[in-house]
Amino acid sequence: MTSVFWSKIWLFLITLAAAAGLTVALVLPRPAQRAMVRAEANRLQTACSVIHILLADDARNRVDLVGAFAREPDIMNALEAASGVERLDEARMKQVRDVGDTVMKKIQGNRKPDFAMLIDRRGRVVARVRLDDNDFGDIASGRPLIDDALAGYLRDDVWAQKGTMYFVSAAPVVKQGAYAGAVVLGHQVTNQLAEKLVTSLEVDMGFHLGADGVAGSKTIAFDHAPMQSAIARLGPDLATDCQVVHPIDVHTGADDYTALVARLPGEAAVKQAYYSVIIKRPDAVGFVGTLKAIKDNDLSFGNFPWLLVGAAFLVVLGLGIGLSYLEVDHPLRRLTGDAVRLAKGDGERLREDVHGGKFGSIARSVNIHIDKLGRDARSAKKDLDQLLGPAPEGSLGTIDLLATSLPSVRPGGPAPAVPPPPSDFRFSDSGSQPSYKPPPRSAPPPRPGTPPPFRAVSTPVAPPSPPAPPPGVTLPPDQFASRAPLTLDEDILGRATRDLAPPVDPYFKQIFDQFVSMKKSCNEPIAGLVYERFAEKLIKNRDDLMLKTGCREVRFTVYVKDGKAALKATPVKDEA
């Protein structure tokens, strides 16, 4: 038995594959997003570590520079002389400042110092070069960098001064084995320095003092609170900041960034000096983001298996069409052909054995209805048999007018031809009758209950005499009472319609009363049994019998059959 099982399985598999593909398309971007976030975090950590190394290299270069500066003979002589006086005056300050400025001019390269401080062995500032160059005589000792330099150490530091930061380095000035003082060189932290540090890293960076930005490779104004909060949670080891700090989300206007922060050493650390490595956060991958990221090259034949996808599509399409034909189209055509065969009368039922599945159910439903119609027809025939009974002796026989067909030829030959009635009638002023005249053949006597022909008159005309009642029937005295004549002056649409209504046939009324009485005596229900429909049925059967058999009259008899009221019709021979 055929069914749509495989088509359903195929549809289920296709739906499952589509759902799986959609699930993969929607889910895969999430791992890709996490992988991208991890890659960005690693990128930030790498950049932070590289900047830390670059700053350390820059510190060594600055220390080497300040050491060379301190070994200049003019510097050593000027500081030794200043260290021997009790009070520093402006003239000495200018003389030492000119010496320092001359030495600074000798420095080659792009990383020239932005200022210099010349300090004698007592810790006094003898002169300042290119920054606050008119200030002198203040005590600089007490600062860790200067104390270490006066003690003979080379080192560097980060100073925060007047809203900016300086990378400073210091070296002792030694002449003939004795300390003559110290030299401090400072390099300001600038945007150019930040840009130089991230040239090859494809990130941005910035230097910060607390909640203020000092310099950066890109001018970005964002909230420093998240970065300050991350700095406050770090431990004492500054060297591990790039590995310990987690990426931080920062916002600026319509853009979002991811930042990594690391602290700067030295005196500036007290003022929360740190630098940040910043990268713009990429758009979320997602399904739409993945589609937007697709390039033309991604869909080329070399990168995408178009042939495999096309072959799979054709296989799936062919399988679906084949299953649809085998399980839907072909059975449907077979059922359609069976229905056409039934309509042509080549069979009485649909063949259920050749149809399966839903189509078999349709065939069974149609056959059930055919069987029901057959049962209803047999039941109706049985009820009509109760209406007509056997014919009496000496008649043409009882004819089942409703259940069987009437004979096509009357006994003794065909009935004589009767011309049809005229198509219309015309009124005349003289009250003449219609011009139509029947053929010269004696017309049969009027049948009971048949109304007289309509005659159009302009003057009152006496009504025709009522027909004689059948033998053995007594009519009520007022059955055929005369009617008032109709004139053209009266309301034709009103009164004429009422006067021309067919009268109650006394013979049919008598049969009807006998039939009702018989049904009551047999305890049968008479609900819905009315005279008009009863007489209409008898007239139709009478006319059919007279037309088919050529009889003169039809008699109806009420009798009891199988305990129920029944009616039989008996044609009467033509006695002419």
Side-chain angles (χ1 to χ4, degrees):
M1 181 177 66
T2 60
S3 64
V4 293
F5 174 77
W6 290 111
S7 295
K8 291 181 178 178
I9 292 297
W10 171 80
L11 180 60
F12 171 76
L13 293 177
I14 294 299
T15 304
L16 182 63
L22 182 60
T23 301
V24 170
L26 295 177
V27 171
L28 278 185
R30 296 180 62 85
Q33 178 74 19
R34 290 194 295 269
M36 185 178 65
V37 170
R38 288 193 298 268
E40 296 299 331
N42 293 334
R43 181 181 172 188
L44 286 174
Q45 290 178 346
T46 301
C48 181
S49 300
V50 170
I51 291 174
H52 182 79
I53 294 172
L54 293 176
L55 290 177
D57 290 341
D58 183 69
R60 283 192 292 269
N61 293 333
R62 289 185 282 104
V63 169
D64 292 342
L65 178 62
V66 74
F69 194 98
R71 289 190 295 272
E72 286 288 328
D74 294 339
I75 296 296
M76 291 188 292
N77 294 331
L79 291 180
E80 182 183 20
S83 298
V85 300
E86 289 292 331
R87 183 175 179 274
L88 298 175
D89 54 15
E90 185 175 353
R92 185 174 294 276
M93 180 269 296
K94 291 181 179 181
Q95 182 265 333
V96 174
R97 184 181 64 186
D98 292 340
V99 172
D101 186 62
T102 301
V103 175
M104 288 184 69
K105 290 179 180 179
K106 296 179 182 180
I107 297 175
Q108 302 297 321
N110 297 326
R111 290 283 289 162
K112 294 182 179 181
D114 291 297
F115 74 88
M117 292 177 61
L118 303 177
I119 304 169
D120 65 7
R121 63 171 172 262
R122 298 183 183 184
R124 297 177 301 179
V125 178
V126 180
R128 288 182 168 88
V129 182
R130 298 183 182 178
L131 180 66
D132 299 331
D133 50 5
N134 292 324
D135 295 339
F136 68 96
D138 54 307
I139 304 299
S141 61
R143 304 187 76 164
L145 177 68
I146 296 176
D147 289 345
D148 289 343
L150 294 176
Y153 294 99
L154 288 169
R155 55 162 299 189
D156 72 300
D157 202 346
V158 181
W159 286 357
Q161 184 175 351
K162 295 181 179 180
T164 188
M165 285 191 298
Y166 293 91
F167 290 138
V168 294
S169 55
V173 178
V174 181
K175 184 179 180 182
Q176 298 177 353
Y179 291 109
V183 177
V184 177
L185 297 180
H187 295 78
Q188 184 179 0
V189 176
T190 61
N191 295 337
Q192 291 76 15
L193 174 62
E195 293 174 0
K196 182 179 180 180
L197 292 173
V198 298
T199 299
S200 60
L201 299 179
E202 296 183 355
V203 296
D204 291 305
M205 74 164 298
F207 293 96
H208 312 274
L209 276 174
D212 298 323
V214 175
S217 62
K218 185 177 182 180
T219 304
I220 304 175
F222 48 79
D223 186 12
H224 291 73
M227 294 188 291
Q228 289 180 276
S229 178
I231 290 294
R233 294 193 297 268
L234 294 176
D237 189 4
L238 277 67
T240 61
D241 286 356
C242 292
Q243 288 72 35
V244 174
V245 176
H246 296 286
I248 306 167
D249 294 334
V250 293
H251 307 280
T252 169
D255 297 327
D256 296 329
Y257 292 86
T258 302
L260 203 67
V261 294
R263 293 169 292 180
L264 291 171
E267 291 184 19
V270 179
K271 297 182 179 181
Q272 273 193 339
Y274 60 93
Y275 67 90
S276 64
V277 182
I278 305 170
I279 187 172
K280 188 174 181 180
R281 187 188 308 169
D283 296 333
V285 177
F287 181 71
V288 177
T290 303
L291 293 180
K292 291 181 178 179
I294 294 176
K295 299 180 180 179
D296 295 339
N297 187 44
D298 297 331
L299 299 177
S300 64
F301 279 92
N303 295 327
F304 191 83
W306 283 110
L307 295 178
L308 180 61
V309 172
F313 172 77
L314 292 178
V315 169
V316 173
L317 179 62
L319 181 61
I321 294 176
L323 291 176
S324 177
Y325 175 78
L326 292 177
E327 298 184 353
V328 178
D329 294 345
H330 183 63
L332 181 59
R333 290 182 181 179
R334 187 164 50 199
L335 179 61
T336 302
D338 205 6
V340 171
R341 182 185 60 83
L342 180 64
K344 290 181 178 180
D346 296 338
E348 297 181 355
R349 296 166 57 86
L350 295 178
R351 297 171 296 178
E352 299 180 11
D353 54 335
V354 299
H355 305 291
K358 299 294 185 181
F359 302 101
S361 299
I362 295 174
R364 284 189 292 274
S365 299
V366 172
N367 289 338
I368 290 173
H369 188 66
I370 292 175
D371 294 341
K372 181 178 181 299
L373 292 177
R375 290 194 300 270
D376 293 344
R378 288 191 295 270
S379 176
K381 183 178 181 303
K382 182 178 178 181
D383 293 340
L384 293 174
D385 287 342
Q386 295 179 0
L387 180 64
L388 303 175
E393 295 291 338
S395 66
L396 291 178
T398 300
I399 300 177
D400 190 348
L401 302 176
L402 302 179
T404 61
S405 60
L406 297 175
S408 59
V409 180
R410 66 185 289 271
V418 178
S423 60
D424 57 356
F425 296 92
R426 291 175 296 182
F427 291 99
S428 64
D429 296 336
S430 60
S432 62
Q433 300 298 326
S435 61
Y436 167 75
K437 295 182 180 181
R441 179 183 180 274
S442 59
R447 296 187 296 271
T450 302
F454 177 80
R455 302 177 62 188
V457 295
S458 58
T459 58
V461 179
S465 302
V473 178
T474 303
L475 299 179
D478 57 348
Q479 180 64 38
F480 289 96
S482 61
R483 299 175 183 155
L486 177 65
T487 64
L488 291 178
D489 296 332
E490 296 178 2
D491 185 359
I492 299 298
L493 296 179
R495 181 179 175 186
T497 303
R498 293 192 302 270
D499 291 346
L500 293 179
V504 176
D505 191 293
Y507 178 68
F508 289 161
K509 184 64 170 65
Q510 181 185 25
I511 299 301
F512 174 74
D513 293 339
Q514 293 176 5
F515 189 79
V516 172
S517 177
M518 186 66 71
K519 289 183 73 68
K520 289 182 179 179
S521 62
C522 294
N523 296 323
E524 292 183 68
I526 61 172
L529 183 60
V530 294
Y531 168 78
E532 287 77 8
R533 284 184 289 182
F534 183 85
E536 180 182 356
K537 195 68 176 178
L538 294 185
I539 292 174
K540 183 179 183 302
N541 293 338
R542 180 197 64 190
D543 295 341
D544 291 341
L545 276 174
M546 294 180 68
L547 181 62
K548 295 294 184 181
T549 63
C551 63
R552 181 180 60 85
E553 189 54 71
V554 177
R555 296 177 182 174
F556 296 95
T557 306
V558 179
Y559 71 106
V560 178
K561 180 181 179 181
D562 298 330
K564 296 183 178 180
L567 187 67
K568 58 186 176 182
T570 305
V572 180
K573 295 181 180 180
D574 190 359
E575 298 177 353

